[in-house]
Amino acid sequence: MDIIYSKQEIAHLPYRNSRLSLEKRVEDLLKRLTLDEKIRLLSGHRIFNTAPIRRLGLGRLRMTDGPFGVAMHSSGLSKNTRFPSTKALAASWNRALAKRFGVAIAEEVRANGRHMLLAPGINIDRTPLNGRTFEYFGEDPYLVKELAIPFVRGVQNQQVGACIKHFVANNQEILRKTISVEIDERTLHEIYLRAFEEVVKEAEPFSVMTCYNRINGVYGSDNSYLLRETLFDKWGFEGFIVSDWGATDHKELTTKSCLKAGLSLEMPSGKKYKQNLLEKALSSGEIKEDWINDAVSRLLLVAGKTGVLDDPETLPKGVKNSIEHQSLSREIAEEGMVLLKNEGILPLKLDSINSIAVLGPNMNKKFGKILYGGSSAVKAPYEITPIEGIKEFCSKDVKLVHDPSEADVVLLFMGLNHNKDGGRRDFVSGFFKKRKNALIYGHDSEGADRAQLELPQSQVDLIRDTVKKNPNTVVILINGSPLGMKEWLNDVPAVLEAWYGGMESGNAIANVLFGEINPSGKLPITFPEQLIDSPAHKSPKTYPGDLDDLKVYYEEGIYVGYRHFEKFEIAPLFPFGFGLSYTTFSYANLSLNKNKLQSLDDTFNLYVDITNTGERFGAEIVQVYANSLESSVDRPLKELVGFAKVELNSKEKKTVQISIRGKDLAYYDVMTHDWKLDPGTIRILVGSSSQDIHLETEIHFS
Ligand code: BGC
């Protein structure tokens, strides 16, 4: 008979004693749980929670989707601060801002009574068409980890768990549940696993979510190589692994294969971790109770870290929808905006403008709707649209007109939106019709990819038509993934990439357009001129994959993003790291504190003088790329290995210091299955984008 405890007895159980170490508390709890209860803890309860064990007073570990705030569908339809999309954060290249974002979102998670945030997504952008590009940071592992680490630390400093996802190579939404990513070991580690490895080691996220897809034929949720061998044994991950929702559905995965690989929590409910299946596997000796104990203790450890084992009254209450969070949301949107083109029309000067025409499909669009774009959708108590932001900024000084030919300036709000809304909802050719997740919507959305790089034809026509009527037309893009622009870019004097800017987007855009804020964002992803230039788009085999064998071949290897454009000398529309300012900067006096690196753990410092040569305050993102000249393997011509964001008043000069780790210069060696750097010279390139290199020096590895 299981012991039934009274409320008072529960309060005095050792696992409830916060003065004991967490390990001791978990040990005590594990000892008290019956096998049946442990099994119940291994799968989801009501979609976003673990099961409560009432007999022992153990509450639920409650999760919610992110990463732009607490998502509506997973928080009892509550309204929360809608922060900008991850692409906007990534375009800020601001580590401190990423940390503040993490703290704020964790406060909102707590205020919603949840313990874990199912974010951030740190997959690498392989194709501009991936429907979830807006949710991910970018195409470069160094940039991704440099921003994801502080984000995760910010979340977890608040005793809220972060869950990095989707482990790994979930780089397309078309056929995401079935496709097998065919990839070589070096590429897998050097490009797609690198940010995961760094975030796991540096920020110790409480959880990792598996992917839906297969990797070299094996699904993410029972992939022993990736989960047990790599995450647990090699990287020392101490948190728990959760399946993506429904990722264990396939018949190829079994109770044994999932448990053996290290999956702790099957979501949203038990398919492989059903009571009868686990019991059967145990009694036949297929699985061991130790495996169950390990899976459950990992979960309980996180439950302990996030306060599930404590009296809820003693936990921080959190904050949601505060003025501070709303203004942080605006700050991220402002810092993430990327000025792509400006022939001098921006910033707009209020005193010389009498009338403005605000046009385009995104001028009054709100993006916060339930499941709009997928699981990341957050609905805020209010959302400032671009037209509202412009009206508020201009107040009565400027007349808003409808006819572009009657306006001094036209602001055209173009771009994309999320699914089921005006986009082409289509299937990929006949073969896919019967298969799930073969959708393309033409927009930024989970569960579907975009159909084309270009804007919808109606928008291209609108731009051309408007420019004919008024050449002073500024295009503002609201979207989360690269767009082709060659049909119209030359016709317009200015283009501002605003991304999905969250609930304060309209105010942030007005502040940038009118020069209250000097744009400083830089692209975290290459904008190709045409799709065929992009590394994943060489043939249908490389994207979306071979339809007969359901495999997508990563033939480009490590040459993803700018690594590819540099190698093959393909001019992108806008390169990785690119972004203009309303001021200008000069680079001088590059030096290093040493000229030899001894080991991968060694670091060196780089110093460079940056001067604001223009007339107004601004911020520059100084980027450092490396190129190993002598190597036993093929190495990219440029790889991001450091960056710093520096703020400067007009004419001010600062010496920027950037610290660079040997490990970030390394490649993944398939002989030793480890990071390696061959002895020799490494060129160190310093610039304002991957293509605008201003200064260069060398370091030697011995
Ligand atoms: C998504 C995850 C999400 C989960 C729970 C899945 O469909 O891929 O990113 O966290 O649903 O909503």
Side-chain angles (χ1 to χ4, degrees):
M1 232 338 241
D2 306 335
I3 307 171
I4 310 283
Y5 296 99
S6 70
K7 257 194 172 166
Q8 265 189 338
E9 283 168 329
I10 287 175
H12 289 100
L13 290 176
Y15 94 82
R16 296 294 290 262
N17 183 351
S18 56
R19 286 191 305 273
L20 293 179
S21 75
L22 202 50
E23 288 68 28
K24 284 240 155 9
R25 296 172 74 188
V26 168
E27 209 180 289
D28 175 68
L29 184 52
L30 197 66
K31 206 168 64 199
R32 290 171 198 282
L33 289 166
T34 62
L35 178 63
D36 187 67
E37 287 164 344
K38 286 180 205 164
I39 289 178
R40 266 162 51 209
L41 284 170
L42 289 179
S43 55
H45 172 80
R46 299 202 186 143
I47 311 182
F48 286 100
N49 310 314
T50 60
I53 309 291
R54 301 225 158 76
R55 182 181 71 84
L56 292 168
L58 177 65
R60 299 168 290 170
L61 174 74
R62 306 180 77 199
M63 297 163 240
T64 178
D65 268 314
F68 319 143
V70 173
M72 198 176 202
H73 69 288
S74 52
S75 62
L77 302 186
S78 77
K79 293 184 182 173
N80 296 288
T81 303
R82 183 177 165 90
F83 294 95
S85 68
T86 314
K87 265 293 167 300
L89 172 67
S92 78
W93 296 53
N94 186 334
R95 299 173 179 94
L97 197 62
K99 182 154 186 199
R100 287 169 59 208
F101 191 167
V103 170
I105 197 169
E107 287 172 343
E108 302 239 345
V109 171
R110 194 53 91 184
N112 278 279
R114 266 67 180 167
H115 308 94
M116 260 192 52
L117 177 76
L118 298 169
I122 59 171
N123 293 103
I124 295 292
D125 297 325
R126 176 175 181 256
T127 157
L129 299 190
N130 178 14
R132 293 185 92 168
T133 304
F134 70 110
E135 284 187 59
Y136 298 137
F137 289 88
E139 70 187 20
D140 179 80
Y142 179 86
L143 179 63
V144 174
K145 66 113 169 159
E146 285 296 304
L147 297 171
I149 288 170
F151 182 93
V152 168
R153 285 189 180 139
V155 171
Q156 297 195 164
N157 283 353
Q158 307 305 302
Q159 264 187 280
V160 166
C163 175
I164 54 173
K165 64 188 187 183
H166 309 85
F167 193 69
V168 65
N170 179 181
N171 304 113
Q172 64 188 60
E173 289 299 283
I174 289 186
L175 292 171
R176 67 172 173 167
K177 292 197 167 163
T178 45
I179 199 90
S180 175
V181 168
E182 299 298 303
I183 187 172
D184 66 87
E185 184 186 347
R186 178 175 173 199
T187 304
L188 179 62
H189 283 266
E190 198 168 306
I191 302 294
Y192 297 98
L193 284 172
R194 196 169 195 157
F196 281 98
E197 175 175 352
E198 293 288 343
V199 178
V200 163
K201 289 182 174 169
E202 301 286 322
E204 300 180 19
F206 293 174
S207 180
V208 171
M209 187 188 293
T210 62
C211 58
Y212 284 124
N213 50 283
R214 292 175 290 152
I215 302 94
N216 294 326
V218 184
Y219 282 104
S221 300
D222 72 344
N223 197 312
S224 281
Y225 171 68
L226 287 170
L227 305 184
R228 190 160 295 281
E229 279 178 50
T230 306
L231 251 183
F232 291 171
D233 299 344
K234 215 166 164 191
W235 301 349
F237 174 62
E238 288 180 354
F240 74 86
I241 298 169
V242 54
S243 74
D244 198 345
W245 272 229
T248 52
D249 285 358
H250 309 275
K251 64 176 182 334
E252 290 88 339
L253 296 114
T254 65
T255 308
K256 180 181 172 184
S257 68
C258 292
L259 201 59
K260 198 168 179 207
L263 182 75
S264 278
L265 183 61
E266 187 185 23
M267 289 306 258
S269 60
K271 291 265 170 62
K272 308 298 166 194
Y273 287 174
K274 260 192 191 137
Q275 179 119 8
N276 62 336
L277 291 180
L278 278 156
E279 280 170 359
K280 209 167 124 198
L282 263 176
S283 62
S284 69
E286 246 191 286
I287 61 166
K288 302 193 181 88
E289 195 169 341
D290 277 359
W291 299 359
I292 295 187
N293 287 342
D294 181 57
V296 174
S297 10
R298 285 174 176 274
L299 200 66
L300 294 180
L301 205 64
V302 171
K305 288 180 179 168
T306 54
V308 180
L309 309 187
D310 298 319
D311 176 354
E313 287 308 308
T314 62
L315 297 178
K317 296 281 168 281
V319 190
K320 60 184 245 181
N321 297 319
S322 62
I323 307 261
E324 288 75 18
H325 289 181
Q326 288 155 5
S327 59
L328 176 63
S329 178
R330 193 184 58 246
E331 201 181 324
I332 299 166
E334 289 165 349
E335 271 211 48
M337 265 181 251
V338 183
L339 183 60
L340 293 174
K341 178 173 179 182
N342 186 16
E343 288 175 346
I345 187 170
L346 293 178
L348 301 173
K349 287 157 208 76
L350 256 194
D351 44 13
S352 56
I353 294 174
N354 294 316
S355 56
I356 299 184
V358 181
L359 303 171
N362 280 349
M363 71 170 182
N364 52 9
K365 188 144 193 42
K366 295 194 177 175
F367 294 92
K369 305 178 195 169
I370 186 161
L371 287 172
Y372 191 54
S375 58
S376 59
V378 176
K379 186 161 170 65
Y382 69 85
E383 196 176 327
I384 308 288
T385 61
I387 185 138
E388 285 167 352
I390 305 291
K391 273 189 186 158
E392 174 72 25
F393 192 94
C394 299
S395 61
K396 293 185 195 73
D397 301 342
V398 175
K399 207 163 81 189
L400 291 189
V401 296
H402 291 290
D403 184 348
S405 49
E406 284 171 12
D408 293 331
V409 173
V410 184
L411 301 177
L412 257 186
F413 287 90
M414 303 310 217
L416 304 174
N417 55 61
H418 301 307
N419 53 342
K420 299 176 193 135
D421 193 63
R424 207 176 101 211
R425 193 164 187 274
D426 211 348
F427 291 93
V428 186
S429 73
F431 180 89
F432 284 98
K433 273 196 177 133
K434 288 184 220 98
R435 293 186 188 271
K436 266 177 134 185
N437 287 99
L439 281 173
I440 43 175
Y441 285 125
H443 286 279
D444 294 313
S445 158
E446 179 181 340
D449 279 354
R450 286 172 51 200
Q452 60 186 36
L453 186 66
E454 285 70 32
L455 285 170
Q457 192 56 43
S458 56
Q459 291 195 36
V460 175
D461 294 344
L462 181 59
I463 296 175
R464 285 185 172 152
D465 189 50
T466 309
V467 180
K468 264 189 226 141
K469 291 182 182 147
N470 190 332
N472 292 335
T473 294
V474 177
V475 172
I476 302 101
L477 297 168
I478 297 182
N479 54 293
S481 49
L483 289 168
M485 303 176 205
K486 68 172 183 200
E487 287 172 278
W488 52 268
L489 186 62
N490 287 339
D491 303 340
V492 299
V495 181
L496 178 68
E497 175 55 77
W499 313 110
Y500 297 112
M503 66 192 293
E504 281 280 329
S505 169
N507 287 333
I509 289 172
N511 284 343
V512 169
L513 290 176
F514 289 96
E516 285 293 299
I517 298 287
N518 189 350
S520 61
K522 305 256 188 176
L523 291 178
I525 182 170
T526 305
F527 277 38
E529 202 173 277
Q530 46 183 356
L531 203 52
I532 188 78
D533 293 345
S534 191
H537 292 269
K538 292 290 156 271
S539 74
K541 247 179 102 184
T542 57
Y543 177 89
D546 187 311
L547 310 187
D548 294 323
D549 60 5
L550 286 175
K551 290 179 178 171
V552 55
Y553 295 86
Y554 281 28
E555 282 175 2
E556 71 284 3
I558 58 167
Y559 292 98
V560 173
Y562 66 90
R563 286 166 170 78
H564 162 88
F565 286 82
E566 292 282 333
K567 181 176 169 75
F568 297 101
E569 295 179 8
I570 302 168
L573 190 63
F574 296 109
F576 175 81
F578 176 81
L580 301 169
S581 165
Y582 295 152
T583 186
T584 46
F585 301 97
S586 74
Y587 286 59
N589 301 328
L590 173 62
S591 65
L592 306 182
N593 68 337
K594 51 174 137 173
N595 55 18
K596 273 201 174 70
L597 262 190
Q598 313 285 355
S599 74
L600 294 192
D601 296 326
D602 207 359
T603 56
F604 65 96
N605 290 338
L606 172 153
Y607 306 92
V608 60
D609 289 345
I610 309 293
T611 307
N612 180 346
T613 47
E615 301 306 320
R616 58 164 69 218
F617 169 86
E620 170 68 327
I621 297 162
V622 182
Q623 300 160 43
V624 184
Y625 295 86
N627 170 219
S628 295
L629 294 179
E630 291 124 279
S631 185
S632 55
V633 298
D634 201 18
R635 303 277 331 248
L637 291 171
K638 282 177 197 150
E639 287 181 283
L640 186 71
V641 294
F643 64 85
K645 189 162 190 170
V646 54
E647 294 185 341
L648 295 162
N649 288 315
S650 165
K651 309 298 176 225
E652 190 185 5
K653 175 174 95 178
K654 279 185 190 163
T655 302
V656 174
Q657 178 186 322
I658 299 177
S659 177
I660 295 161
R661 297 188 320 170
K663 182 160 180 210
D664 290 322
L665 305 175
Y667 65 92
Y668 184 86
D669 175 36
V670 293
M671 303 305 281
T672 56
H673 312 291
D674 208 350
W675 297 99
K676 190 174 175 190
L677 195 52
D678 294 321
T681 306
I682 301 153
R683 284 170 74 211
I684 299 295
L685 313 161
V686 179
S688 44
S689 87
S690 58
Q691 294 210 334
D692 301 307
I693 301 300
H694 305 302
L695 298 166
E696 158 168 6
T697 183
E698 283 178 355
I699 187 132
H700 304 276
F701 186 69
S702 51

